[in-house]
Amino acid sequence: VRPLPPKATHQQTKTYNQQLVLKAIFDHGQISRAEVARMTELTRVTVSEIVADLLKKGLVAEVGRGPSAGGKSPILLSVVEDAYHLIGVDLANDEFRGAVVNLRGDLVHSLSLPLLNQGEAALEQVYELVDALIARTAQPLLGIGIGTPGLLDTDRGIIRQAVNLGWKDLPLGSLLQARFHLPVYLANDSQVTALAEQIFGAGKGELNLVVVKVGRGIGAGIVLNGQLHQGDGFGAGEIGHIAIDPAGEPCRCGNNGCVETVASTRAIARRARALAGAHPESLLNRLAPDPAMLTIEEVLQAYAAGDSLARQVALEAGRALGFAIATLVSVLNAHRILLVGSVTRFGQPWLEAVCAEVRRCSLAVLAQETEIDFGDLGANAVILGASALLLTRELGLSLMR
Amino acid sequence: VRPLPPKATHQQTKTYNQQLVLKAIFDHGQISRAEVARMTELTRVTVSEIVADLLKKGLVAEVGRGPSAGGKSPILLSVVEDAYHLIGVDLANDEFRGAVVNLRGDLVHSLSLPLLNQGEAALEQVYELVDALIARTAQPLLGIGIGTPGLLDTDRGIIRQAVNLGWKDLPLGSLLQARFHLPVYLANDSQVTALAEQIFGAGKGELNLVVVKVGRGIGAGIVLNGQLHQGDGFGAGEIGHIAIDPAGEPCRCGNNGCVETVASTRAIARRARALAGAHPESLLNRLAPDPAMLTIEEVLQAYAAGDSLARQVALEAGRALGFAIATLVSVLNAHRILLVGSVTRFGQPWLEAVCAEVRRCSLAVLAQETEIDFGDLGANAVILGASALLLTRELGLSLMR
C-alpha cells in the first residue's frame, strides 16, 4: 500500500487565498480592495486582512485613488515591484549570464561572464557572478533561481549531468544556499523558459503551455494545470533526443539520429557545410572563406538574402522539429505551443514548415486546435524563467487549483 | 488578463479530508480509527467525526476488533463494498460490454450485446445494455461510467467523434443522465484504462502512470500527479496517430504511416497477409485457407508455435510501438508504463522488442529509469476504468495534493 497524500489544513486554505490576493493585485497592476474581493469571491473582510499583511510585508502599496463608483473613490493597490529583488542566472550558453530581477520581471542589472572553464572552476565562476549581482542591489533578496542545460533534480537542487560544464551530481543548490544564505531553485533551461513565458511572456496565464527551446540543444518545458511538469526524474520535455532516424548522425547523447542532430543550430550549420560545395551558385559559398567554416550565422545571413540552399536547409530542420512537436501534440494535447531559442530567427517560413509537419504527423483535430507561435522573451528567457521558478515557489504566483 | 483560479474554502479542506479518510480505509481493507488518525495525521476527533458520517452513509462499517495494543482492542473499519454499485460500460469493441461493479472493482454482473448497428440504433443498444444492468442490482447506484474509443469531451459528456459507431457530437452524457437520473462520466477507452490500472491494477497508487492500449487502435492514458491528464481538447495520449512513416499505409485518420498502421492488430494481420505468400515455409500459409484471409488470431497461433515469419511481423510491430513509447518517455518522463490490449498477447519477446526500441530512441538515463510492463486487468480494463472514473469523480478516491 502506497503512503497516503498529505491531509489538507485550514492553514493551506489561508496561504492559498493570500497568494490568490497577491496574484490578483500582481495581474491587474492597480486594483481596489473591493475589486479584489469581487474577482476572488473572498469577503471584503478577508481581503482587507490579507492586504494589511501584504502592506506590512511591503509587497503591496497603496498608490492613489481610482474612479468613484458613487461613494468615496477607492484606494488602489499595486505590487511594489522592487520590494524584493531576485537573482536569476542562465548557465545555458558559452557564457554565464545573470541579472538582478524585480517582481515584475524587469532586469534591473545584467552581467555576463565568458565561460572559461569546466568543473570546479566553472563553479567558482557561478559564485563570482552571483557575488557581483548581489553587490548591485540593496533590496532584500527573495532568493536565487538557476536555469541550466542538462538533467537536474529540482527537489534536491542537484545537477545530475551537465555535459558542457563537466558537472556530474553537483549539489549546486546546497552549495549556493550555504554560501549566500538564500533560497535556491534550479531547473533545466527549457523548463524554466516555459515558466518565464507563462508568468511574464506570450503564454501569460495559460493553464497548459508547452515551450520548445531550439538552439544548440532542443528541449521542451511543459506547464500542465498551471504547474511545471518535470516528470519522475525531472527529465520531462527531452524531445531533442527522440531518435527519428536510426541511420542518422551520432548524437552527443550516444544514440543516433536524434531530433537535435537534424534541427539544432549545429545540425543546420553542419548540413549547410555538407551541401554548399555541391551548390556553387549558393551565397553560402561566398559568406565563409571556406565552406567547412560555415556557422549558423552565415546560414541565417544567406537565408535572409533569399538563398535557396539556405532556405532548403532551414526548412528541412523545421520539418524535423515539426515531427517532434507532433509528438508533443499527440501526447499532451496542449492548445498553446511557443517556440523560442536561436533557431527561431529563421522566422515565419521556418515556422510554417514546422506547422505543416505537425499537421502531417498528428491527428487532424488535435493539430487544428493547437496554436503554435513564437515566444516573446528573447535572450532573457532563461534568466526570467529562473526568476519565475523562484517566484512561483516562494510567492505562489502561478497558483492553480 | 486571464480569470483567476477559484478561491480555496474551508469546505474544500473538509471534503478533501473526508475523502482522505475514506481512501485510508479503502486502501487498507480493515483499519482502526486510531490507525487512520496516525496515517492521515488528522486528529482522533476529526477522524471520529468523519467516520461517523461514513457509517451513517453506509459507505463504511465496523467489522470486528483488531489486536489490542495494550488497552481495549480497537474496532476495525472497512469499506462496505456493496454500499453502492456502479455501472461500467465498454463501448470499445465489436460488442458493447457492461457490468455492475462494486466499490472494490469486483464485477458483480457482466453483460454483452453484439454491436449490430451504428448511429441512433447503436445508442438504443447502449440504453438496452444499461437497462439490463440496472435490473440486475438492488443496491443504490453511484452512477454510470463509460469508456469508448474516439475523441470525447469529458466535461460536457459529449462524444465528439467515434468513427466505428457513426457518432459525431453526440451528447451521450446528458442523454443517459436524463434517462437514468444518475451521474454519468465518460472518457476515451485508453484514458479510463489508465485509471483502472491506477485504482485497481498493476499501477495501484502510482502518482505518474502511463498505460498504452494496443489493440485495433492504439492510445495512451496518462495519469500525472494522481489525476487523469486529458489535455485541453481531451485528446491527450493519441500516440497511435503519430505519423512515423510518411510513405506508409494510409490511416483511417486521413494521414499516412501512423503508428496504428504498423503496430495495431489490423496492421499485424495485414503485414502477415502481405508476406505469407513469399514465405511458403511459414505456418501462416497452413493456418488460413487463403493467406488473404489471415487474421491476428492465426498470427498469434503461428507465433506461439515458433513460426519465424510470425515472429518477425510481431517484433516489427513491437519496434514501431517502442518508438511511440520513446516519445512518451521523452515528453513525460513517467517511471511506470503499462501495456494492455490484445497485442500484448505476443508476450515477452514482443515486450523486449518494445523496450529495446525505447532505449534506442530516447535519452539513455530516461529509458533506464522507466519500467515498462504489462497491465493486469485484461479484458475488463475498460469497464473497470469507466467505474474508476466514476469513483474518482464522485468519491475522490484518487485524491492527490
Side-chain angles (χ1 to χ4, degrees), chain A residues 87-91 95-100 109-114 122-136 144-146 176 179-180 383:
Chain A
I87 305 294
V89 176
D90 173 5
L91 306 181
E95 52 175 19
F96 283 172
R97 299 178 59 231
V100 175
H109 298 287
S110 297
L111 282 178
S112 65
L113 288 179
L123 179 61
E124 286 298 327
Q125 285 193 277
V126 177
Y127 292 156
E128 199 183 316
L129 179 67
V130 176
D131 278 333
L133 287 168
I134 288 178
R136 299 289 175 101
I144 301 170
I146 311 262
L176 290 172
R179 190 181 167 100
F180 297 104
I383 288 177

Side-chain angles (χ1 to χ4, degrees), chain B residues 27-39:
Chain B
D27 286 357
H28 285 259
Q30 301 200 344
I31 188 171
S32 70
R33 286 170 178 82
E35 189 66 7
V36 170
R38 200 190 55 74
M39 287 181 40

Side-chain angles (χ1 to χ4, degrees), chain A residues 241 245-258 260-262 270:
Chain A
H241 298 285
D245 177 10
E249 298 278 336
C251 180
R252 60 196 169 108
C253 77
N255 287 333
N256 290 305
C258 295
E260 262 191 32
T261 67
V262 276
R270 185 178 51 225

Side-chain angles (χ1 to χ4, degrees), chain B residues 236-254:
Chain B
E238 284 286 0
I239 59 165
H241 298 285
I242 296 173
I244 54 179
D245 177 10
E249 297 280 334
C251 180
R252 60 196 170 111
C253 77

